[in-house]
C-alpha cells in the first residue's frame, strides 16, 4: 500500500466536497419535515446537527491505545514533524487535539474557571508531559496528572489539517478509570479511531478489556495499527534469517487475527484486510523527517 502525502490530501479534498453535498441534502430533508409537520421535531434537530457537522467539513481522528504503543510517534510521522512529545520517557498526559492554525501555538483549556492559556510548543512539552515514575504513582493513587485541564489544542499550519482534519492524541490507556474516561469519553466526538497495538506484544489482557468494554458493538470505525513491526526482526535469535522472520511474522499475524477479527466485521462482511495494518511509526517518522514527501510504502503492511 502506498501512502503518498499528495494523494492523501487530494482524497481529503474529495471527502470535503462530498460532505458539503451531503450537508445540502440533509438540510433539504429537514426543510421537507418542517413543511409536512409530521411530528418528527427531534429527528429533524438531529438531521440539522449532522448537516452542520458535514458543512464544517470536520473529520476527527482519535488515536487510542495502551501506554507506550507509539501513538505520539505515529502522529508525528503522519504530519512529518516531531510536534507531539514522544519518547521512552515523557508520557502524553493530556488529550491533545492537533488542528489547523496559521501560526504555530498551543492552547490549554481548563474545566474550571481558569482562562485558557497559550504557549509555545517547547513550553507545552516541558510543562505538560510526565515521566513514567510519576505516571505509575498517579495510576496507583487513581489520580489524573492535570485534573483541571480539559484538553490542549495544537495549532499548526499543515495542509492536511487545513482540509478540516483534526487528529487527537490521547494519554495511554491504563488501569486508572479516571484517565481512561478522558480518552474513551472522547470517542463519541470522533469519526474514526486508530487503535495502536504493539506488534511484539499482541493483545494484552488490558487491551482486550478496552476493546470488549469500549469498542465492541458501538458502531465505531476502528483501524488497528500493529506498530513497531520492525521490532519483530530484532526479537529473533538470528535476525538475518529470512525463514525465521517469516515464521515469526506469520505466527504474530495469526494471533492478531484471532483477537481482532471480531472487530472487523461490518454487516456480516469480514473487512480485516482493510482495517488491520502492520506498521513501523518509528521508521516512518525517520523517513518523513529526512524528506517531507517520502513514500512510506516500506513502513506499512510489512
Ligand atoms: N522500534 C520502534 N520503536 C517505536 C515505534 N514507535 C514508537 N517507538 C518508540 O516507543 C517509545 C514510545 O513512543 P510514544 O510515541 O511516546 O508512545 P505513546 O503511545 O505516545 O506513549 P504514551 O503517550 O506514554 O502512552 C518511543 O521511544 C518511540 O521511539 C516503532 O514503530 N518501532
Ligand atoms: Mg503519547
Amino acid at each position: 500500500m502506498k501512502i503518498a502525502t499528495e494523494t492523501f490530501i487530494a482524497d481529503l479534498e474529495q471527502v470535503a466536497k462530498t460532505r458539503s453535498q451531503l450537508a445540502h441534502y440533509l438540510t433539504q430533508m429537514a426543510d421537507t419535515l418542517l413543511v409536512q409537520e409530521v411530528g418528527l421535531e427531534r429527528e429533524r434537530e438531529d438531521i440539522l446537527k449532522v448537516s452542520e457537522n458535514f458543512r464544517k467539513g470536520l473529520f476527527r481522528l482519535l488515536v487510542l491505545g495502551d501506554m507506550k504503543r507509539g501513538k505520539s510517534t505515529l502522529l508525528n510521522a503522519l504530519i512529518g514533524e516531531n510536534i507531539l512529545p514522544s519518547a521512552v520517557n515523557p508520557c502524553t498526559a493530556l488529550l491533545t487535539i492537533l488542528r489547523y492554525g496559521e501560526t504555530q501555538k498551543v492552547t490549554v483549556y481548563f474545566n474550571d474557571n481558569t482562562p485558557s492559556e497559550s504557549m509555545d510548543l517547547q513550553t507545552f512539552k516541558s510543562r505538560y508531559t510526565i515521566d513514567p515514575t510519576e505516571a505509575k504513582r498517579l495510576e496507583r493513587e487513581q489520580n489524573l496528572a492535570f485534573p483541571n485541564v480539559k484538553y490542549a489544542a495544537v495549532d499548526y499550519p499543515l495542509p492536511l489539517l487545513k482540509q478540516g482534519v483534526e487528529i487527537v492524541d490521547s494519554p495511554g490507556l491504563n488501569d486508572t478509570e479516571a484517565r481512561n474516561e478522558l480518552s474513551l469519553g472522547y470517542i463519541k466526538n470522533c469519526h474514526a479511531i486508530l487503535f495502536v497495538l504493539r506488534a511484539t506484544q499482541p493483545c494484552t489482557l488490558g487491551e482486550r478489556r478496552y476493546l470488549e468494554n469500549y469498542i465492541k458493538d458501538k458502531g465505531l470505525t476502528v483501524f488497528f495499527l500493529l506498530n513497531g513491526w520492525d521490532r519483530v526482526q530484532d526479537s529473533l535469535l538470528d535476525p538475518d534469517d529470512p525463514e525465521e522472520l517469516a515464521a515469526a511474522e506469520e505466527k504474530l499475524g495469526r494471533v492478531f487475527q484471532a483477537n481482532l477479527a471480531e472487530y472487523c466485521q461490518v454487516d456480516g462482511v469480514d473487512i480485516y484486510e482493510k482495517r488491520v495494518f502492520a506498521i513501523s511509526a518509528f521508521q516512518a517518522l525517520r523517513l518523513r523527517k529526512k524528506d517531507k514527501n517520502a513514500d512510506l510504502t516500506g513502513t506499512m503492511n510489512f
Side-chain angles (χ1 to χ4, degrees), residues 72 85 92 169:
S72 304
T92 306
D169 192 13

Side-chain angles (χ1 to χ4, degrees), residues 128-146:
Y128 286 106
T129 47
I130 50 174
D131 69 66
T133 333
E134 171 91 354
K136 279 268 165 307
R137 185 178 62 75
L138 289 164
E139 191 179 335
R140 261 200 319 275
E141 295 169 1
Q142 298 268 305
N143 279 330
L144 287 171
F146 304 99

